[in-house]
Amino acid sequence: MLNYAATPPLAAMAETDSRQLIAAELRSLIARIEISMRLIDAAMEPEDDSAIVSANLGSTEIVVLDDVTPRYATASAALNACRAELARALQKLSESGNSA
């Protein structure tokens, strides 16, 4: 967990500086979310496609129970929604900076 005890309060900074700091933090969060989404995508990919194909050719009685993919898909959707909202917040912040 990060320790923000030594972080100077935003109220003591110039408005432009605090806006830039907030924008940088939003961009950082967006990048971290994108990394998490790539990790989830990689975890959902089958490790060996050839094993699945050969198993499917040999029998029609194969049933694959996958209880992890729905949870990964749900987590990915939640991260996608977070990323969209953070991007929206970043856009609103940049719009408020242009009007000043």
Side-chain angles (χ1 to χ4, degrees):
M1 180 153 254
L2 297 174
N3 181 0
Y4 288 104
T7 303
L10 291 177
M13 302 175 125
E15 183 180 345
T16 302
D17 292 340
S18 65
R19 188 179 303 116
Q20 290 173 348
L21 180 64
I22 294 166
E25 182 65 20
L26 289 172
R27 284 190 293 276
S28 173
L29 288 169
I30 291 168
R32 290 170 55 194
I33 286 173
E34 289 172 349
I35 290 168
S36 294
M37 291 177 71
R38 282 194 296 271
L39 291 171
I40 289 172
D41 289 343
M44 288 188 344
E45 290 178 6
E47 290 180 15
D48 187 6
D49 291 335
S50 63
I52 294 170
V53 171
S54 62
N56 287 336
L57 293 174
S59 173
T60 59
E61 300 295 322
I62 294 177
V63 176
V64 177
L65 299 176
D66 184 359
D67 65 339
V68 178
T69 299
R71 287 182 276 170
Y72 282 153
T74 301
S76 184
L79 287 171
N80 194 33
C82 281
R83 180 180 59 179
E85 288 300 315
L86 288 170
R88 186 171 157 233
L90 186 59
Q91 177 65 36
K92 292 294 182 185
L93 184 66
S94 68
E95 289 173 0
S96 70
N98 292 336
S99 65

